[in-house]
Amino acid sequence: MLLLEIFHLLLSTVAGLLGSALLLRVYLGWLRVSRSNPLAIFCVALTEWLVAPLRRALPARGRFDAASLAAALSVALVFVLLMGLVRADRGWHWYLFVPSVVLVLIHWVLYLVTLLVLANVLLSLVNPHAPLAPTLDVLTRPVLAPLRRIIPPVGGFDLSPLVLIVVVQVLLLVLGEFPI
């Protein structure tokens, strides 16, 4: 049982890092962040081995990177398949395969949003002139803008990141009730 938990931890970590990097690569392309940006360089270096073969079949069109999205979907499919094989003795149902893949992708997106918002807040407090600060601001602005229109600054502090993180955590709790 302990070995299965270790396997689950390692698989979740590797798949989550790879899947999140692929989704971040899609988002960076959508926002047209420069490929010379350190965050873009990291995502490309981590994921190019998986995206390059898919790029031949799914070339980038405009702002949408279909190859990176297909790679993220593939990683989620393999992750759910391996977890299903490990949990087969515990009553995992194969008809939950496709919904589980979608839930995994949603989890990765929500964790990515949390990480980007936290990094942006911490960097803006510690070193707002850091090289990644403008990139993090560009990445978080679209998700924070609706909240910033509703929630006014309190004493000069923007509380919209805190509200967003709480909302994301509530969504993760709700999604945690569904089996993956």
Side-chain angles (χ1 to χ4, degrees), residues 13-178:
T13 302
V14 170
L17 177 63
L18 188 57
S20 295
L22 287 161
L23 292 171
L24 182 57
R25 187 172 170 164
V26 172
Y27 190 46
L28 288 167
W30 182 261
L31 293 177
R32 297 185 184 202
V33 173
S34 169
R35 292 194 48 114
S36 62
N37 183 288
L39 201 53
I41 291 170
F42 169 75
C43 287
V44 169
L46 186 63
T47 62
E48 187 63 19
W49 63 274
L50 187 56
V51 174
L54 293 171
R55 178 97 43 225
R56 287 184 220 114
L58 299 167
R61 297 184 192 270
R63 295 170 34 176
F64 184 66
D65 186 1
S68 294
L69 187 59
L73 183 61
S74 300
V75 170
L77 283 166
V78 169
F79 173 72
V80 171
L81 180 65
L82 289 174
M83 293 313 301
L85 290 173
V86 168
R87 294 183 178 157
D89 63 332
R90 291 190 244 158
W92 195 77
H93 303 289
W94 290 102
Y95 60 85
L96 295 175
F97 185 71
V98 173
S100 294
V101 170
V102 172
L103 285 175
V104 165
L105 287 172
I106 293 171
H107 270 93
W108 290 345
V109 167
L110 292 174
Y111 283 124
L112 186 60
V113 166
T114 302
L115 178 68
L116 291 173
V117 169
L118 282 175
N120 187 36
V121 168
L122 290 175
L123 206 55
S124 69
L125 291 173
V126 175
N127 186 6
H129 304 292
L132 274 180
T135 303
L136 290 173
D137 186 54
V138 166
L139 293 174
T140 58
R141 192 176 305 136
V143 293
L144 290 173
L147 292 173
R148 286 182 173 149
R149 285 192 290 270
I150 298 169
I151 304 167
V154 177
F157 284 98
D158 181 15
L159 296 179
S160 59
L162 177 65
V163 172
L164 180 65
I165 289 172
V166 168
V167 168
V168 166
Q169 292 303 309
V170 167
L171 288 172
L172 285 169
L173 284 172
V174 169
L175 291 175
E177 294 298 314
F178 299 100

